[in-house]
Structures are given as C-alpha cells and as structure tokens.
Amino acid sequence: MQLSNRITNLTNGGSDGWDVFNRARDMIAAGTPVVELTIGEHDIRTHPTILKAMNEAAIGGHTGYAMIPGTVSLRDTVAARITAQSGVPTTRDNVLITPGGQAALFAAHMAVCNPGDTALYLDPYYATYPGTIRGAGAIPKAIQARARDSFQPLAQNIEDAATGATSLLINTPNNPTGVVYDRDTLLGIAEVCKRHDLWLLSDEVYDTQVWEGEHLSPRALSGMAERTLVIGSMSKSHAMTGSRCGWIVGPSEIISHLVNLATHTTYGVAGFVQDAADFALNAGTEFEEEVAAPFRRRRALAQEIIGAQNTVTMVPAQGAMYIMLNIRATGMTGEAFANALLDAHHIAVMPSESFGQAATGHIRVAMTIEDQKFATALKTLCDFATSLSTS
Ligand code: PMP
C-alpha cells in the first residue's frame, strides 16, 4: 500500500547521529551498565506536591474532555506569566495550551506555512526541528550558527537565507549548545524578520534555566508581538516531561485558528494535567528553582573539570540542561568520539551530528545524573580525549 510522502520523508533516513543513543539503550537492555548523558530527561521526577494536585483534580472529576484551547484558568495563568516575564500585555486569547512543546512546534508551523513554503531554522538544532517542519508540509532550510561566533547566530547569515522564506524558528536558551542569545543577536534577528515579513517561532522551553545573562523573549522587541509565536512547556521547567503540557503564545487571530487545528488534531490536553500545571505555575518560583538547581551545580562542576585540562573545551554554557564540548583536538568527528567513548568507558553522549552540521567536532553532554557520577564521567571523558589527542 502507498504511504504518503509526508510520512515517509519525515526523517531523512541515513545516519542521524542517534546510533550512539540506540547502541547505549541496547547495551543497557543486554545488562551492561551505561552512564547515559544523552537526552534531556531530568534525574528527578515531577514534585509530589504537583502530582497531589493532579491526583486531586482527577479524583475531583476533571477527567472528561477538557476545553480545547486549554482551561480558562491555565490560559490566564500562562498569560500572566508571559506578561510578567516579557512586559508584553498578554491575555488568555493569546494562549493555546498544547500537549507539550513538541506539539506546539508542529502546530505553529502548520499555522504559518503553506505546503512548500520555506521554513528557516538554526543549526545546531534540537533534533526534531527539520522533521517537524517537513511534517507540516514546509521545506526546512538550515542556517548555521558557528562555533567561532560562540553559536550566536549572525543576522547577516539569516538575511542571506531569508528571501522568499515564511518563518524562522529559533531556540534560546539553546539546545544543544547551552547558549543564551544576547540582546544584539535578538535585535538583529527581529530586524531581518521585519524586513522579510517572516514569522518568528521562538522556542523558549528552557526559559527558567539560565545560568549567565538573562532570557529575553523576542516577542518583547519593538514590532515583534504581531509576528512572533512563543513556544513554552512545563516539561523542562517543572520536570513534567511525561505530562505533555505546553503552550503557544501569539496574536489572538492566529490563536483562534490554532484552536481549530487543535479541534481537528489533539482535541486538547487532559484537564487534570492542566490543573496540575496551573497549580505549579501559581506556586511561585519554588518548583522551577528546585528543578534548575542541579543543572546550575553541575554546570559549575563541569567548568572546574574542563578548566583543569587542555584537550576538551566547553562552549560557554549559559543555560539549559546541557553542555557542548569541543573535542576537535582528538581529530575525530563527534560521532566517532561518542562511539569510542561508549565502547571504552560505557559513557553515552550525543554526537554533534545529531544536531546538524555546524557543531562538527563537538559532543553534547546532558547534565542529568547525580553530581558525583556526573563529575566522574566528565573526568573520564576528558582523560579519554587526552589519550586520543593528536597534538
Ligand atoms: N524544544 C526544545 C529545544 C527541546 O529540547 C524540547 C525537548 N527536549 C522540546 C522543544 C519539546 O519538549 P516538550 O514537548 O516535552 O515540551
């Protein structure tokens, strides 16, 4: 039977840098312990108090179809949070609740791109980006943010790719690099978007995990609120990855179309999950600080360990739960190094090839295991790199 081009072309096929991850999972299944520093899954679970709120909502009866745009209360809560963070007046009419940030990324592209339109995104990128764009029927076009520019994208490079494009997807704090885009970068991006009439899709799911500098939402920049869709999520901020609760914030007109899309796709998000998210967001910053704290500590540990040797260097880790390491001194690709590290020391990291072309010679290390184990694994990684070093 025929399958749609949309589904068969979703991923590009071939090696995509996930072999290391899959091999590590196979080793674990076969009984070999592996230190997994691969995906962005916290080593703590959702706080019991949030789960208690979820349970109470479910037992209390919020288990039927929930309001498709999201509950009025959660939309108000998200609107108030975004207003406070960005200074942009935001109401519930600007908010759609989605089953996680990933569904929001897909819906946002569906809302702004016609089939065949060019959708820009930045490389290195979160692994699902090109597939998400293809899934929405648009054509992904990558623009490189380079190591020599500290992975801050240059407005000129976006300008060079922008003619005829419909949208630009950015992500700050960034996965995989850990870089937080500075004001100049965002101002440059905003100017290009305005000049070329681009939608800006701003993935801000790591906005509560900033170690250096500050998170700026480009929606707050002059003339950007009417052309920006912000993607947010409870996954990273509140260790609620499995609950699938996120949002899109943008102009009310597009949100009303997105509600139509939700009616014909997801049909909303579980009411008890929304109530738990609402509870967590209204509980002040306590939960999100508790979730962010281990990453802040481990990033400091990493700075110390990387600073004490000369083979591996670290991209300035300003935010998110990852560090990006330059292993070019080994003369190896990210993938070759990650495979060798897995074989020699049973430590699994993500090679740069999982995130595009721009970060070649790098690996991404998720800071998602207990501090001491994390420090030991990182030291082993550095010693291994030194033993392979060509200089
Ligand atoms: N954007 C980025 C940059 C991510 O890293 C992730 C998850 N790893 C997501 C979006 C999606 O997260 P979720 O669907 O769990 O909200």
Side-chain angles (χ1 to χ4, degrees):
M1 290 297 288
Q2 181 193 298
L3 296 173
S4 74
N5 294 338
R6 172 179 283 128
I7 205 79
T8 52
N9 295 338
L10 201 65
T11 60
N12 253 349
S15 169
D16 57 3
W18 283 79
D19 299 354
V20 184
F21 174 78
N22 294 329
R23 279 187 56 222
R25 286 286 155 108
D26 289 346
M27 285 165 77
I28 292 167
T32 307
V34 174
V35 179
E36 279 195 287
L37 303 169
T38 48
I39 56 170
E41 181 78 272
H42 314 69
D43 52 325
I44 53 169
R45 298 275 81 99
T46 309
H47 198 285
T49 316
I50 300 176
L51 293 178
K52 189 164 167 280
M54 196 183 292
N55 186 47
E56 274 166 14
I59 296 288
H62 206 173
T63 54
Y65 291 124
M67 304 267 289
I68 291 174
T71 65
V72 167
S73 180
L74 180 57
R75 291 164 77 208
D76 282 348
T77 296
V78 170
R81 180 179 174 90
I82 294 273
T83 305
Q85 266 179 359
S86 65
V88 184
T90 304
T91 72
R92 73 175 74 125
D93 295 335
N94 303 114
V95 181
L96 171 77
I97 304 301
T98 62
Q102 180 56 46
L105 285 165
F106 178 72
H109 282 97
M110 285 292 279
V112 301
C113 292
N114 280 312
D117 277 5
T118 299
L120 306 174
Y121 68 108
L122 293 162
D123 172 358
Y125 53 84
Y126 171 49
T128 67
Y129 280 4
T132 303
I133 292 169
R134 280 189 217 104
I139 299 175
K141 182 171 175 182
I143 302 162
Q144 294 202 351
R146 287 172 301 218
R148 67 165 179 269
D149 302 318
S150 303
F151 292 111
Q152 295 273 341
L154 300 185
Q156 188 57 51
N157 294 348
I158 301 173
E159 172 76 38
D160 293 345
T163 303
T166 301
S167 60
L168 168 66
L169 171 59
I170 66 168
N171 169 222
T172 180
N174 188 267
N175 175 13
T177 63
V179 167
V180 174
Y181 292 177
D182 59 33
R183 179 172 288 277
D184 284 347
T185 295
L186 289 170
L187 283 170
I189 288 173
E191 283 316 309
V192 177
C193 288
K194 284 187 270 188
R195 207 163 27 248
H196 291 270
D197 200 21
L198 299 181
W199 279 99
L200 182 61
L201 310 186
S202 180
D203 180 344
E204 304 181 22
V205 302
Y206 293 99
D207 63 349
T208 60
Q209 298 176 357
V210 177
W211 327 127
E212 224 175 77
E214 56 172 334
H215 171 68
L216 293 171
S217 175
R219 182 164 173 265
L221 298 175
S222 160
M224 289 306 289
E226 67 249 39
R227 60 173 66 252
T228 303
L229 294 177
V230 172
I231 286 105
S233 171
M234 297 300 289
S235 286
K236 308 299 176 175
S237 59
H238 290 76
M240 288 180 72
T241 48
S243 291
R244 315 310 301 134
C245 189
W247 52 81
I248 303 180
V249 172
S252 56
E253 192 198 345
I254 192 166
I255 293 296
S256 67
H257 289 291
L258 280 161
V259 173
N260 268 335
L261 179 66
T263 304
H264 296 89
T265 52
T266 61
Y267 218 76
V269 174
F272 52 90
V273 168
Q274 295 193 60
D275 287 350
D278 202 5
F279 165 80
L281 291 173
N282 279 305
T285 55
E286 191 191 317
F287 290 125
E288 56 204 57
E289 276 167 15
E290 202 175 314
V291 171
F295 304 126
R296 189 187 292 280
R297 279 199 315 270
R298 292 167 198 162
R299 173 214 181 231
L301 276 174
Q303 283 177 320
E304 221 174 89
I305 292 163
I306 303 293
Q309 51 79 64
N310 297 316
T311 311
V312 176
T313 57
M314 180 160 137
V315 175
Q318 300 158 315
M321 51 214 276
Y322 317 95
I323 51 171
M324 189 82 153
L325 301 179
N326 177 333
I327 48 92
R328 288 177 179 168
T330 63
M332 297 169 93
T333 64
E335 197 161 10
F337 180 83
N339 272 305
L341 181 70
L342 182 61
D343 289 332
H345 294 287
H346 300 174
I347 296 172
V349 298
M350 293 301 286
S352 52
E353 288 78 7
S354 323
F355 313 110
Q357 305 300 313
T360 155
H362 289 72
I363 51 165
R364 188 194 74 175
V365 178
M367 300 188 281
T368 48
I369 59 170
E370 181 272 317
D371 295 21
Q372 230 21 67
K373 284 192 188 137
F374 174 73
T376 306
L378 202 54
K379 277 192 202 121
T380 306
L381 184 157
C382 290
D383 290 346
F384 183 59
T386 303
S387 75
L388 296 169
S389 168
T390 49
S391 55

Short mmCIF file of all heavy atoms in Angstrom, two decimals, residues 39-41 98-105 125-129 169-176 203-206 231-236 240-247 320-322 364, ligand 1:
data_model
loop_
_atom_site.label_atom_id
_atom_site.label_comp_id
_atom_site.label_asym_id
_atom_site.label_seq_id
_atom_site.Cartn_x
_atom_site.Cartn_y
_atom_site.Cartn_z
N ILE A 39 19.82 12.21 26.55
CA ILE A 39 18.64 13.05 26.29
C ILE A 39 18.28 13.94 27.49
O ILE A 39 18.76 13.74 28.59
CB ILE A 39 17.42 12.21 25.87
CG1 ILE A 39 17.09 11.15 26.90
CG2 ILE A 39 17.65 11.60 24.49
CD1 ILE A 39 15.75 10.46 26.66
N GLY A 40 17.41 14.91 27.20
CA GLY A 40 17.06 15.92 28.21
C GLY A 40 15.98 15.46 29.16
O GLY A 40 14.91 16.05 29.24
N GLU A 41 16.27 14.40 29.87
CA GLU A 41 15.32 13.90 30.87
C GLU A 41 15.93 14.09 32.25
O GLU A 41 17.03 13.59 32.52
CB GLU A 41 15.06 12.41 30.60
CG GLU A 41 14.07 11.75 31.53
CD GLU A 41 12.61 12.08 31.20
OE1 GLU A 41 12.12 13.10 31.71
OE2 GLU A 41 12.00 11.32 30.43
N THR A 98 -1.17 23.23 24.68
CA THR A 98 -0.89 22.12 23.76
C THR A 98 -0.35 20.91 24.53
O THR A 98 0.13 21.07 25.66
CB THR A 98 0.18 22.54 22.73
OG1 THR A 98 1.40 22.84 23.44
CG2 THR A 98 -0.25 23.76 21.92
N PRO A 99 -0.39 19.72 23.92
CA PRO A 99 0.24 18.57 24.59
C PRO A 99 1.77 18.63 24.48
O PRO A 99 2.38 17.88 23.73
CB PRO A 99 -0.32 17.36 23.84
CG PRO A 99 -1.29 17.89 22.84
CD PRO A 99 -1.05 19.34 22.68
N GLY A 100 2.36 19.57 25.17
CA GLY A 100 3.82 19.71 25.17
C GLY A 100 4.32 20.71 24.14
O GLY A 100 3.57 21.16 23.25
N GLY A 101 5.61 21.04 24.27
CA GLY A 101 6.24 21.98 23.36
C GLY A 101 6.35 21.41 21.95
O GLY A 101 6.25 22.14 20.95
N GLN A 102 6.54 20.10 21.84
CA GLN A 102 6.70 19.49 20.52
C GLN A 102 5.44 19.68 19.68
O GLN A 102 5.52 20.07 18.51
CB GLN A 102 7.06 18.01 20.67
CG GLN A 102 7.26 17.29 19.35
CD GLN A 102 8.32 17.95 18.48
OE1 GLN A 102 9.41 18.29 18.95
NE2 GLN A 102 8.01 18.18 17.22
N ALA A 103 4.28 19.43 20.28
CA ALA A 103 3.02 19.64 19.55
C ALA A 103 2.86 21.12 19.20
O ALA A 103 2.31 21.46 18.15
CB ALA A 103 1.84 19.16 20.40
N ALA A 104 3.35 21.99 20.07
CA ALA A 104 3.28 23.43 19.81
C ALA A 104 4.15 23.81 18.61
O ALA A 104 3.75 24.63 17.76
CB ALA A 104 3.71 24.21 21.06
N LEU A 105 5.33 23.20 18.53
CA LEU A 105 6.24 23.48 17.39
C LEU A 105 5.57 23.08 16.07
O LEU A 105 5.64 23.80 15.07
CB LEU A 105 7.54 22.70 17.56
CG LEU A 105 8.52 23.21 18.60
CD1 LEU A 105 9.57 22.15 18.91
CD2 LEU A 105 9.19 24.49 18.11
N TYR A 125 20.66 22.39 16.03
CA TYR A 125 19.24 22.48 16.31
C TYR A 125 18.79 21.29 17.16
O TYR A 125 19.42 20.24 17.17
CB TYR A 125 18.45 22.49 15.00
CG TYR A 125 18.79 21.35 14.07
CD1 TYR A 125 18.19 20.10 14.22
CD2 TYR A 125 19.73 21.52 13.06
CE1 TYR A 125 18.52 19.06 13.38
CE2 TYR A 125 20.06 20.47 12.21
CZ TYR A 125 19.45 19.23 12.39
OH TYR A 125 19.79 18.19 11.56
N TYR A 126 17.67 21.49 17.83
CA TYR A 126 17.02 20.39 18.55
C TYR A 126 16.57 19.37 17.51
O TYR A 126 15.98 19.73 16.49
CB TYR A 126 15.85 20.94 19.37
CG TYR A 126 14.98 19.87 19.97
CD1 TYR A 126 15.54 18.80 20.66
CD2 TYR A 126 13.60 19.91 19.83
CE1 TYR A 126 14.75 17.80 21.20
CE2 TYR A 126 12.80 18.91 20.37
CZ TYR A 126 13.39 17.86 21.05
OH TYR A 126 12.60 16.87 21.57
N ALA A 127 16.84 18.10 17.81
CA ALA A 127 16.79 17.04 16.79
C ALA A 127 15.49 16.96 16.00
O ALA A 127 15.50 16.56 14.84
CB ALA A 127 17.07 15.71 17.47
N THR A 128 14.37 17.35 16.58
CA THR A 128 13.10 17.17 15.85
C THR A 128 12.80 18.28 14.84
O THR A 128 11.85 18.16 14.06
CB THR A 128 11.88 17.11 16.81
OG1 THR A 128 11.72 18.39 17.42
CG2 THR A 128 12.04 16.04 17.88
N TYR A 129 13.55 19.38 14.86
CA TYR A 129 13.14 20.56 14.09
C TYR A 129 12.88 20.29 12.60
O TYR A 129 11.80 20.60 12.10
CB TYR A 129 14.15 21.69 14.24
CG TYR A 129 14.03 22.51 15.52
CD1 TYR A 129 13.11 22.18 16.52
CD2 TYR A 129 14.84 23.62 15.73
CE1 TYR A 129 13.02 22.94 17.68
CE2 TYR A 129 14.74 24.39 16.88
CZ TYR A 129 13.83 24.04 17.86
OH TYR A 129 13.74 24.79 19.00
N LEU A 169 12.59 29.71 12.89
CA LEU A 169 12.48 29.07 14.20
C LEU A 169 13.79 29.28 14.96
O LEU A 169 14.86 28.95 14.44
CB LEU A 169 12.21 27.58 14.00
CG LEU A 169 12.26 26.65 15.22
CD1 LEU A 169 11.25 27.07 16.27
CD2 LEU A 169 12.00 25.20 14.78
N ILE A 170 13.68 29.84 16.16
CA ILE A 170 14.88 30.00 16.99
C ILE A 170 14.63 29.35 18.36
O ILE A 170 13.48 29.11 18.73
CB ILE A 170 15.30 31.48 17.18
CG1 ILE A 170 14.25 32.25 17.98
CG2 ILE A 170 15.55 32.14 15.84
CD1 ILE A 170 14.73 33.63 18.44
N ASN A 171 15.71 29.14 19.09
CA ASN A 171 15.60 28.48 20.40
C ASN A 171 16.65 29.07 21.35
O ASN A 171 17.84 28.89 21.15
CB ASN A 171 15.83 26.97 20.20
CG ASN A 171 15.99 26.21 21.50
OD1 ASN A 171 16.84 25.33 21.61
ND2 ASN A 171 15.21 26.52 22.49
N THR A 172 16.16 29.79 22.34
CA THR A 172 17.04 30.33 23.37
C THR A 172 16.33 30.28 24.72
O THR A 172 15.14 30.61 24.76
CB THR A 172 17.49 31.78 23.04
OG1 THR A 172 18.34 32.26 24.09
CG2 THR A 172 16.33 32.76 22.85
N PRO A 173 17.00 29.82 25.78
CA PRO A 173 18.29 29.14 25.85
C PRO A 173 18.30 27.92 24.92
O PRO A 173 17.29 27.26 24.77
CB PRO A 173 18.40 28.71 27.31
CG PRO A 173 17.51 29.64 28.05
CD PRO A 173 16.38 29.95 27.12
N ASN A 174 19.49 27.67 24.36
CA ASN A 174 19.56 26.75 23.24
C ASN A 174 19.90 25.31 23.61
O ASN A 174 20.81 25.05 24.39
CB ASN A 174 20.61 27.28 22.24
CG ASN A 174 20.62 26.50 20.94
OD1 ASN A 174 21.37 25.55 20.78
ND2 ASN A 174 19.77 26.89 20.02
N ASN A 175 19.16 24.42 23.02
CA ASN A 175 19.50 23.00 22.98
C ASN A 175 19.97 22.75 21.54
O ASN A 175 19.19 23.01 20.62
CB ASN A 175 18.26 22.17 23.30
CG ASN A 175 18.51 20.68 23.15
OD1 ASN A 175 19.65 20.25 23.03
ND2 ASN A 175 17.44 19.90 23.14
N PRO A 176 21.15 22.31 21.28
CA PRO A 176 22.09 21.63 22.17
C PRO A 176 23.22 22.48 22.76
O PRO A 176 23.97 21.97 23.58
CB PRO A 176 22.73 20.62 21.23
CG PRO A 176 22.83 21.36 19.92
CD PRO A 176 21.58 22.20 19.87
N ASP A 203 11.19 29.23 20.38
CA ASP A 203 11.11 28.10 21.29
C ASP A 203 11.83 28.49 22.59
O ASP A 203 13.06 28.62 22.61
CB ASP A 203 11.77 26.88 20.62
CG ASP A 203 11.77 25.63 21.48
OD1 ASP A 203 11.55 25.73 22.69
OD2 ASP A 203 12.01 24.54 20.92
N GLU A 204 11.03 28.68 23.64
CA GLU A 204 11.59 29.17 24.91
C GLU A 204 11.37 28.17 26.04
O GLU A 204 11.20 28.54 27.19
CB GLU A 204 10.96 30.54 25.23
CG GLU A 204 11.18 31.54 24.07
CD GLU A 204 10.60 32.93 24.31
OE1 GLU A 204 10.38 33.31 25.48
OE2 GLU A 204 10.38 33.64 23.31
N VAL A 205 11.42 26.88 25.69
CA VAL A 205 11.09 25.86 26.71
C VAL A 205 12.13 25.79 27.84
O VAL A 205 11.86 25.22 28.88
CB VAL A 205 10.87 24.45 26.11
CG1 VAL A 205 9.75 24.45 25.08
CG2 VAL A 205 12.13 23.85 25.54
N TYR A 206 13.30 26.39 27.63
CA TYR A 206 14.32 26.38 28.70
C TYR A 206 14.41 27.73 29.42
O TYR A 206 15.45 28.05 30.01
CB TYR A 206 15.70 26.01 28.12
CG TYR A 206 15.76 24.58 27.62
CD1 TYR A 206 15.62 24.28 26.28
CD2 TYR A 206 15.94 23.52 28.51
CE1 TYR A 206 15.66 22.97 25.82
CE2 TYR A 206 15.98 22.21 28.06
CZ TYR A 206 15.84 21.93 26.72
OH TYR A 206 15.87 20.63 26.29
N ILE A 231 6.82 29.44 21.99
CA ILE A 231 6.53 28.06 22.37
C ILE A 231 7.07 27.84 23.79
O ILE A 231 8.25 28.09 24.05
CB ILE A 231 7.19 27.06 21.38
CG1 ILE A 231 6.39 27.05 20.06
CG2 ILE A 231 7.20 25.63 21.93
CD1 ILE A 231 7.01 27.75 18.95
N GLY A 232 6.19 27.39 24.68
CA GLY A 232 6.61 27.14 26.07
C GLY A 232 6.16 25.76 26.50
O GLY A 232 5.38 25.09 25.81
N SER A 233 6.63 25.33 27.67
CA SER A 233 6.32 23.97 28.11
C SER A 233 6.56 23.82 29.61
O SER A 233 7.42 24.49 30.18
CB SER A 233 7.21 23.00 27.35
OG SER A 233 7.09 21.70 27.87
N MET A 234 5.83 22.90 30.22
CA MET A 234 6.07 22.53 31.61
C MET A 234 7.17 21.47 31.72
O MET A 234 7.62 21.15 32.82
CB MET A 234 4.80 21.95 32.24
CG MET A 234 3.63 22.90 32.33
SD MET A 234 3.99 24.36 33.31
CE MET A 234 4.06 23.66 34.97
N SER A 235 7.57 20.88 30.59
CA SER A 235 8.46 19.73 30.63
C SER A 235 9.76 20.01 31.35
O SER A 235 10.14 19.31 32.29
CB SER A 235 8.79 19.27 29.20
OG SER A 235 7.70 18.63 28.62
N LYS A 236 10.48 21.03 30.89
CA LYS A 236 11.83 21.28 31.42
C LYS A 236 11.76 22.06 32.72
O LYS A 236 12.51 21.78 33.66
CB LYS A 236 12.66 22.05 30.38
CG LYS A 236 12.67 21.41 29.00
CD LYS A 236 13.27 20.01 28.99
CE LYS A 236 13.16 19.40 27.61
NZ LYS A 236 13.82 18.12 27.50
N MET A 240 8.16 17.94 34.15
CA MET A 240 6.86 17.33 33.83
C MET A 240 6.86 16.80 32.39
O MET A 240 5.86 16.90 31.68
CB MET A 240 5.73 18.34 34.05
CG MET A 240 5.47 18.63 35.51
SD MET A 240 4.14 19.83 35.79
CE MET A 240 2.68 18.89 35.35
N THR A 241 8.00 16.22 32.00
CA THR A 241 8.14 15.78 30.59
C THR A 241 7.02 14.83 30.17
O THR A 241 6.51 14.92 29.06
CB THR A 241 9.51 15.11 30.37
OG1 THR A 241 9.72 14.16 31.41
CG2 THR A 241 10.64 16.11 30.39
N GLY A 242 6.65 13.90 31.06
CA GLY A 242 5.65 12.89 30.69
C GLY A 242 4.22 13.41 30.70
O GLY A 242 3.33 12.76 30.16
N SER A 243 4.00 14.55 31.30
CA SER A 243 2.62 15.05 31.42
C SER A 243 2.11 15.68 30.14
O SER A 243 0.90 15.83 29.96
CB SER A 243 2.52 16.08 32.56
OG SER A 243 2.69 15.44 33.80
N ARG A 244 3.01 16.07 29.25
CA ARG A 244 2.66 16.65 27.95
C ARG A 244 1.79 17.89 28.12
O ARG A 244 0.58 17.88 27.86
CB ARG A 244 1.97 15.63 27.03
CG ARG A 244 2.61 14.24 26.94
CD ARG A 244 4.11 14.29 26.67
NE ARG A 244 4.48 14.97 25.45
CZ ARG A 244 5.47 15.87 25.38
NH1 ARG A 244 6.21 16.19 26.43
NH2 ARG A 244 5.77 16.42 24.24
N CYS A 245 2.40 18.95 28.56
CA CYS A 245 1.66 20.21 28.71
C CYS A 245 2.55 21.38 28.31
O CYS A 245 3.60 21.61 28.92
CB CYS A 245 1.19 20.36 30.16
SG CYS A 245 0.06 21.74 30.39
N GLY A 246 2.15 22.07 27.26
CA GLY A 246 2.90 23.24 26.80
C GLY A 246 1.95 24.28 26.27
O GLY A 246 0.74 24.20 26.52
N TRP A 247 2.49 25.26 25.55
CA TRP A 247 1.61 26.31 25.02
C TRP A 247 2.24 27.05 23.85
O TRP A 247 3.45 26.96 23.61
CB TRP A 247 1.25 27.33 26.11
CG TRP A 247 2.43 27.90 26.84
CD1 TRP A 247 3.25 28.92 26.45
CD2 TRP A 247 2.92 27.47 28.13
NE1 TRP A 247 4.21 29.17 27.41
CE2 TRP A 247 4.02 28.29 28.45
CE3 TRP A 247 2.51 26.49 29.04
CZ2 TRP A 247 4.75 28.15 29.63
CZ3 TRP A 247 3.25 26.35 30.21
CH2 TRP A 247 4.34 27.17 30.50
N ALA A 320 20.07 26.09 29.91
CA ALA A 320 19.56 24.75 29.54
C ALA A 320 20.36 23.66 30.26
O ALA A 320 21.33 23.93 30.95
CB ALA A 320 19.53 24.54 28.04
N MET A 321 19.94 22.41 30.05
CA MET A 321 20.48 21.32 30.87
C MET A 321 21.60 20.54 30.20
O MET A 321 21.83 19.38 30.52
CB MET A 321 19.33 20.40 31.30
CG MET A 321 18.45 19.93 30.18
SD MET A 321 16.71 19.75 30.71
CE MET A 321 16.76 18.15 31.42
N TYR A 322 22.31 21.21 29.29
CA TYR A 322 23.37 20.53 28.53
C TYR A 322 24.65 21.37 28.53
O TYR A 322 24.61 22.58 28.69
CB TYR A 322 22.93 20.37 27.06
CG TYR A 322 21.51 19.93 26.90
CD1 TYR A 322 20.49 20.85 26.71
CD2 TYR A 322 21.18 18.57 26.98
CE1 TYR A 322 19.17 20.45 26.58
CE2 TYR A 322 19.87 18.16 26.85
CZ TYR A 322 18.87 19.10 26.66
OH TYR A 322 17.56 18.69 26.53
N ARG A 364 27.45 16.72 22.80
CA ARG A 364 26.58 17.32 23.81
C ARG A 364 26.46 16.37 24.99
O ARG A 364 26.20 15.18 24.82
CB ARG A 364 25.20 17.59 23.24
CG ARG A 364 24.32 18.40 24.21
CD ARG A 364 22.87 18.37 23.81
NE ARG A 364 22.25 17.09 24.10
CZ ARG A 364 20.96 16.82 23.95
NH1 ARG A 364 20.16 17.75 23.46
NH2 ARG A 364 20.48 15.62 24.23
N1 PMP B 1 12.20 22.37 22.24
C1 PMP B 1 13.41 22.00 22.67
C2 PMP B 1 14.57 22.87 22.36
C3 PMP B 1 13.58 20.82 23.40
O1 PMP B 1 14.79 20.47 23.82
C4 PMP B 1 12.44 20.02 23.67
C5 PMP B 1 12.54 18.71 24.42
N2 PMP B 1 13.74 18.13 24.54
C6 PMP B 1 11.20 20.47 23.18
C7 PMP B 1 11.11 21.64 22.49
C8 PMP B 1 9.94 19.69 23.39
O2 PMP B 1 9.65 19.46 24.72
P1 PMP B 1 8.22 19.00 25.22
O3 PMP B 1 7.45 18.51 24.03
O4 PMP B 1 8.47 17.94 26.21
O5 PMP B 1 7.61 20.24 25.81
#
